[in-house]
Amino acid sequence: MTDKRGLSESDICDRFITPALERSGWQNTQWRREYSFTDGQIIVRGKLVGRGKRKRADYLLFHKPNLPIALIEAKDNNHQLGAGMQQGLGYATALDVPFVFSSNGDGFLFHDRTGTFEPVEQTLSLDEFPSPDELWAHYKQWKSLETVDETLITSPNYQDNTEKAPRYYQQVAINRTIEAISKGQERLLLCMATGTGKTYVAFNIIWRLWKSRKAKRILFLADRNILVDQTMVNDFRPFANAMTKVGPRIVDADGRVDTSYEIYLALYQAIVGGEDREAIYDKFPRDFFDLIVVDECHRGSARADSEWRAILEYFQPATQIGLTATPKETEYVSNIDYFGEPVYSYSLKQGIDDGFLAPYKVVRIDLDKDLTGWRPAEGQVDDDGQPIEDRIYNQMDIDRGIVFPNRDQTVARKISSFLHEDDPMRKTIVFCASVNHAERMRQALTNDEANADLVRDDPRYVMRITGDDDEGKAQLDNFIDPKRTHPVIATTSKLLSTGVDAQTCHVIVLDQRIQSLTEFKQIIGRGTRLRPDYGKHYFTILDFRKATELFADPEWDGPPIKILVDEDDTGEGPVDLPDDDQTEGDEPIDVIIDDPDDEGDEEDDERVVYTVSGVKFTVIAERVQYYDKDGKLITESLKDFTRRAVQQEFTTLDEFLRRWSEADRKQAVIDALLEQGVILEALEDQIGKDLDAFDLVCHLAFDQPPLTRRQRADNVRQRDVFAEYGDVARSVLDALLDKYADQGIGPVEDIEVLKLDPFTELGTPIQLVRSFGGREQFLQAVQHLQDELYQIAS
């Protein structure tokens, strides 16, 4: 007899687990071995991209091909019987499977998630594995489906010869919706992140209800023409001649609608009517539709006074399903109040963790006057000669109440430099505060010297795509077509939650104040589609307005939390590159264009807007965040950023020491670093508040051991290097060392310090300078002091 402990896991499956299933009445068509149900998370290491491991169940058991009810996790016989249980329970939660088994070939540990077996966990012999009928009976009891007609809940999804099948979470969404409808639920909500296939899910729900004749007439509502058209030619294509688009053409001269179709797709604006058009929806009988599906229902279908709501209430007898990526929950609008709690939710974070959606990097960029504000000089006028109201203008005012052309140029320069660091042809959407801002950004990006050659080659390199610009809108199809290279950068303003599919959007720029979570999530959704065939494995958010900080939401899309990592936490490690990737999408991701009827509040049109040229804006801080292999968003620390920025300015320690020594004022070197975005003061909390800027730079960028200012001052005293000076001069130098130890190098370099205590106790400034022999000698002594302070131990 073969010793089980010498068998591999695969041998255990072949010799013990599979035969046990067959003896229990399971057909080999009712299980799948090594069932992979995720693609493996995309892992980004700088510019290197790889994939994590796929999640894989050893056995997934089905009642019907699209209805899994049990799984088995197998281990070799060197493991305990229940060694695979915790892993199996995790998989079962994701797959919505109630019965979990772990086996090492000796038998099974059985865990019941339904509460219909006693006890919850029990040990079974190899001959006691439950039969398909037994598990199905308990499944129905768990789901309260005992009295429900099984025809619908066991009905198949649409099948064709492409072998396309729903992803695991899509199947869960379909099954939960079908089961809820079969039990009589009339209002249902599905929350699924942009890019996860809501339209494909909706199609299969409709298909199963339609084919089983549980819903004979269906209305699919959307709020953008392009979405209706894409749905008809893509996911809904199998409905063929049973399908039509609702519009004036289906109404005859007598005002009667064509009721010969079974699947109706409609743009709600086209059927609700208005000042210059007659309503169409109310020409149908109230009970005409059995099912209504509302795509992107957060756009207002749940609001009691919305046009959407009027349609839904008119067709009140119909079962109604809301689809959304961002459920809208405010004091005034609630999807949950209308549709009920979601029957299923699948977040952006889950999609990223599973490898179905692109992870993102976040680059938080702070501009000095965005943070500190700007105040006009007394009596200052703007570029048009208007007196500027005397107050502090902050980030809330910028590009709404006051415009700084130099800020546009600074932002454009940062965007351009980011694109040119890698591939300047990466599709990019720049979200601006208004249409005017979008036009200014188009000009600033066009005029940036980094883009000169590209704009010269094709002026469509940068385009404004807003609702009021026909030329820009005419280029929309080219922008979203992965095969078309131009336009590359699209500037826009108001967010529309639906539109067209921008699959290869690599970069999202946030340069507008975003005031709602729904709007923010929709913007992020522009970049979530994976297209590895076009080199897109992740996307980058350039955030100039702190939006990613303000709208962190761990329940929805993964926590964009700043984590200042330790120096040793590099996150480096081997990454398995993918063999292949899924490139076929299920649902269009929408490009953002502007609604000409929604370009801002009326009060904005009357607001005085100042334009002030000549105000310099500087990047003073930059943070880089990215997903690591554990699904955490890791921030490039201030230390890492400073090291990189300093080494760009000074390639070696010797170069830095030379520049520091030669500088008439050390502050000039600090200012040069500030131009590179290095704020040394920001590092004090992490490294030490009592370190000089010199030590911060030497330590972070060149790994030199740091000394505190007090230690440097004491070292100079111990060397007794000022014996050549008289008593008063030595007292002055000693007081300067104390000033340095307490406040840094700034006071030492400023001769005006001699007017302050404790120098005033030693004499007047003139007397103190004369104690050195004159001004020149005093300055030489101060330089000597600085040279001694900044000696590096050899």
Side-chain angles (χ1 to χ4, degrees):
M1 183 174 179
T2 304
D3 182 6
K4 283 185 181 179
R5 292 186 179 275
L7 298 178
S8 67
E9 180 181 303
S10 180
D11 291 334
I12 293 293
C13 292
D14 293 338
R15 297 190 186 191
F16 299 99
I17 298 177
T18 295
L21 291 175
E22 293 171 339
R23 289 194 299 270
S24 299
W26 291 86
Q27 303 297 314
N28 59 12
T29 56
Q30 288 183 279
W31 73 73
R32 296 266 304 273
R33 285 273 301 269
E34 298 185 348
Y35 179 82
S36 295
F37 58 94
T38 70
D39 276 0
Q41 181 190 342
I42 295 287
I43 300 171
V44 181
R45 292 286 183 274
K47 296 179 183 179
L48 178 64
V49 177
R51 275 197 186 268
K53 290 183 179 180
R54 295 183 174 189
K55 292 180 180 178
R56 185 185 66 192
D58 292 321
Y59 287 81
L60 189 63
L61 281 60
F62 295 83
H63 175 68
K64 293 292 182 180
N66 52 286
L67 191 54
I69 61 171
L71 65 80
I72 304 171
E73 276 304 302
K75 300 295 180 182
D76 64 42
N77 200 250
N78 295 295
H79 291 80
Q80 295 180 347
L81 187 67
M85 181 55 71
Q86 291 192 106
Q87 182 180 20
L89 288 171
Y91 291 171
T93 300
L95 294 167
D96 208 24
V97 166
F99 308 118
V100 185
F101 299 84
S102 174
S103 180
N104 63 357
D106 290 339
F108 297 96
L109 181 66
F110 170 38
H111 184 105
D112 169 38
R113 299 178 62 229
T114 70
T116 61
F117 283 93
E118 290 289 345
V120 173
E121 280 195 0
Q122 55 184 297
T123 300
L124 306 176
S125 71
L126 290 172
D127 293 326
E128 291 178 317
F129 195 89
S131 69
D133 290 342
E134 183 180 4
L135 289 186
W136 177 239
H138 281 267
Y139 180 93
K140 289 195 295 180
Q141 182 182 348
W142 174 49
K143 294 279 192 174
S144 301
L145 299 171
E146 300 100 315
T147 60
V148 171
D149 181 2
E150 292 188 17
T151 304
L152 175 58
I153 60 177
T154 61
S155 61
N157 299 323
Y158 173 76
Q159 295 175 311
D160 59 14
N161 57 8
T162 65
E163 298 185 358
K164 180 180 179 180
R167 295 168 175 165
Y168 84 88
Y169 64 87
Q170 294 170 338
Q171 191 63 68
V172 174
I174 295 165
N175 289 347
R176 284 198 183 180
T177 304
I178 291 294
E179 289 171 357
I181 291 174
S182 71
K183 291 187 289 186
Q185 188 170 333
E186 295 180 340
R187 302 290 182 267
L188 305 99
L189 181 64
L190 283 173
C191 297
M192 299 174 65
T194 302
T196 57
K198 292 190 297 294
T199 309
Y200 179 66
V201 167
F203 162 71
N204 272 288
I205 292 169
I206 294 170
W207 178 266
R208 289 174 62 173
L209 290 166
W210 183 61
K211 294 297 285 186
S212 62
R213 308 312 292 164
K214 301 299 182 182
K216 298 178 182 179
R217 297 189 185 93
I218 295 99
L219 174 63
F220 181 86
L221 278 173
D223 72 338
R224 290 294 174 267
N225 241 325
I226 188 66
L227 187 57
V228 173
D229 294 340
Q230 285 184 150
T231 299
M232 292 183 70
V233 300
N234 293 324
D235 287 322
F236 280 35
R237 183 172 51 187
F239 290 126
N241 294 331
M243 173 177 58
T244 190
K245 182 177 180 180
V246 179
R249 65 178 181 80
I250 73 165
V251 182
D252 65 19
D254 297 324
R256 293 173 299 190
V257 295
D258 186 346
T259 60
S260 63
Y261 295 93
E262 297 182 64
I263 312 295
Y264 292 79
L265 291 87
L267 180 71
Y268 90 88
Q269 299 97 320
I271 66 172
V272 77
E275 294 180 358
D276 58 348
R277 60 184 184 274
E278 188 178 8
I280 298 175
Y281 74 93
D282 56 2
K283 299 184 185 301
F284 290 95
R286 286 181 178 271
D287 60 353
F288 183 78
F289 294 110
D290 304 303
L291 174 68
I292 298 177
V293 178
V294 184
D295 197 18
E296 304 294 353
C297 64
H298 66 272
R299 290 286 293 175
S301 59
R303 197 173 65 226
D305 60 349
S306 72
E307 294 172 332
W308 290 79
R309 186 70 167 263
I311 300 172
L312 298 182
E313 291 182 347
Y314 180 81
F315 295 115
Q316 186 273 335
T319 298
Q320 297 174 9
I321 303 173
L323 307 175
T324 184
T326 52
K328 197 167 203 173
E329 298 302 317
T330 70
E331 179 182 355
Y332 308 102
V333 181
S334 173
N335 291 107
I336 291 175
D337 280 352
Y338 184 81
F339 291 104
E341 292 289 339
V343 296
Y344 184 67
S345 296
Y346 188 76
S347 71
L348 177 58
K349 181 184 187 306
Q350 289 172 288
I352 293 173
D353 290 348
D354 288 340
F356 297 127
L357 296 179
Y360 55 86
K361 287 185 178 182
V362 176
V363 182
R364 246 286 301 280
I365 302 162
D366 294 330
L367 305 182
D368 52 358
K369 292 176 182 62
D370 283 9
L371 302 184
T372 63
W374 176 83
R375 184 174 182 176
E378 184 178 355
Q380 184 172 351
V381 298
D382 74 353
D383 292 2
D384 297 321
Q386 300 180 93
I388 304 173
E389 181 185 353
D390 184 15
R391 64 181 180 86
I392 294 176
Y393 293 84
N394 57 31
Q395 196 173 65
M396 294 178 63
D397 303 301
I398 293 173
D399 295 316
R400 303 298 292 181
I402 192 165
V403 170
F404 298 104
N406 287 52
R407 186 187 184 282
D408 297 337
Q409 295 165 13
T410 300
V411 173
R413 188 174 307 114
K414 189 63 184 176
I415 296 170
S416 301
S417 64
F418 176 82
L419 291 176
H420 284 265
E421 284 174 4
D422 188 2
D423 179 7
M425 300 303 291
R426 288 174 288 174
K427 295 290 182 74
T428 300
I429 303 175
V430 183
F431 291 97
C432 304
S434 65
V435 170
N436 289 336
H437 185 205
E439 172 58 22
R440 296 199 314 274
M441 284 306 304
R442 184 198 66 79
Q443 294 178 28
L445 287 161
T446 297
N447 290 331
D448 192 272
E449 60 183 3
N451 302 325
D453 291 341
L454 294 168
V455 172
R456 190 179 303 112
D457 291 343
D458 192 327
R460 296 176 304 159
Y461 181 73
V462 186
M463 293 288 293
R464 172 166 65 92
I465 302 180
T466 53
D468 66 334
D469 185 77
D470 292 338
E471 288 77 12
K473 288 191 294 185
Q475 291 295 325
L476 182 57
D477 286 343
N478 290 330
F479 179 76
I480 65 175
D481 186 346
K483 297 179 181 178
R484 303 290 181 90
T485 58
H486 292 78
V488 175
I489 304 174
T491 67
T492 189
S493 64
K494 278 291 184 180
L495 171 71
L496 298 185
S497 63
T498 56
V500 289
D501 191 352
Q503 298 179 15
T504 54
C505 176
H506 283 77
V507 182
I508 292 172
V509 180
L510 304 178
D511 196 25
Q512 63 170 227
R513 287 189 67 238
I514 300 172
Q515 302 182 65
S516 81
L517 182 60
T518 297
E519 185 177 13
F520 176 70
K521 300 304 180 185
Q522 286 292 319
I523 287 178
I524 299 309
R526 303 316 102 202
T528 54
R529 181 65 62 88
L530 278 170
R531 283 306 299 263
D533 52 332
Y534 283 91
K536 183 187 173 184
H537 297 90
Y538 65 93
F539 67 104
T540 302
I541 303 166
L542 301 184
D543 181 9
F544 290 89
R545 303 278 182 151
K546 296 187 179 180
T548 53
E549 177 182 276
L550 294 174
F551 296 102
D553 183 3
E555 292 299 320
W556 188 250
D557 64 7
I561 299 171
K562 290 182 174 58
I563 304 172
L564 296 178
V565 297
D566 295 331
E567 294 298 316
D568 295 332
D569 187 6
T570 62
E572 295 178 356
V575 179
D576 294 328
L577 293 175
D579 295 324
D580 56 84
D581 295 287
Q582 177 174 325
T583 60
E584 292 293 325
D586 299 314
E587 179 212 7
I589 290 179
D590 316 320
V591 71
I592 308 309
I593 60 174
D594 296 286
D595 186 341
D597 298 324
D598 188 22
E599 294 296 354
D601 299 331
E602 291 182 5
E603 62 183 84
D604 291 344
D605 297 334
E606 302 175 1
R607 179 185 298 164
V608 175
V609 179
Y610 304 111
T611 301
V612 185
S613 298
V615 178
K616 184 178 180 181
F617 279 73
T618 302
V619 174
I620 61 169
E622 183 176 328
R623 312 287 183 273
V624 180
Q625 303 168 293
Y626 57 91
Y627 267 88
D628 73 355
K629 64 180 178 61
D630 297 318
K632 297 178 181 179
L633 197 60
I634 298 298
T635 301
E636 183 183 62
S637 69
L638 278 168
K639 297 179 183 179
D640 293 335
F641 173 78
T642 301
R643 180 184 296 110
R644 177 167 53 85
V646 169
Q647 290 177 350
Q648 288 176 350
E649 183 74 12
F650 310 104
T651 56
T652 66
L653 174 61
D654 287 341
E655 182 181 356
F656 171 71
L657 294 176
R658 179 180 57 78
R659 287 271 298 277
W660 186 266
S661 176
E662 292 175 354
D664 292 334
R665 295 179 64 254
K666 309 308 180 191
Q667 188 62 39
V669 179
I670 298 172
D671 290 343
L673 290 173
L674 183 62
E675 292 293 322
Q676 299 298 320
V678 175
I679 308 176
L680 294 173
E681 295 87 345
L683 293 162
E684 291 177 351
D685 288 337
Q686 298 179 52
I687 301 174
K689 293 181 179 295
D690 52 358
L691 294 184
D692 189 275
F694 175 88
D695 283 281
L696 286 171
V697 170
C698 290
H699 175 61
L700 287 174
F702 306 109
D703 298 318
Q704 295 296 305
L707 296 176
T708 66
R709 292 191 299 270
R710 179 64 62 187
Q711 287 173 324
R712 288 194 174 277
D714 289 342
N715 287 345
V716 173
R717 288 190 175 102
Q718 290 171 11
R719 291 196 294 270
D720 193 22
V721 295
F722 300 127
E724 65 183 277
Y725 297 106
D727 291 341
V728 174
R730 284 200 304 272
S731 296
V732 170
L733 293 172
D734 191 70
L736 285 174
L737 286 174
D738 285 335
K739 282 290 184 183
Y740 168 79
D742 293 335
Q743 301 177 33
I745 197 64
V748 177
E749 294 184 315
D750 188 357
I751 198 172
E752 295 294 314
V753 76
L754 298 180
K755 298 179 180 179
L756 304 176
D757 287 334
F759 300 99
T760 55
E761 299 175 4
L762 301 175
T764 66
I766 292 177
Q767 291 172 333
L768 298 181
V769 168
R770 284 177 178 171
S771 70
F772 289 85
R775 180 183 178 89
E776 182 176 347
Q777 289 84 352
F778 170 76
L779 295 177
Q780 289 175 351
V782 170
Q783 182 61 52
H784 183 200
L785 181 148
Q786 293 185 57
D787 292 342
E788 292 295 328
L789 278 172
Y790 295 118
Q791 282 191 13
I792 293 286
S794 56

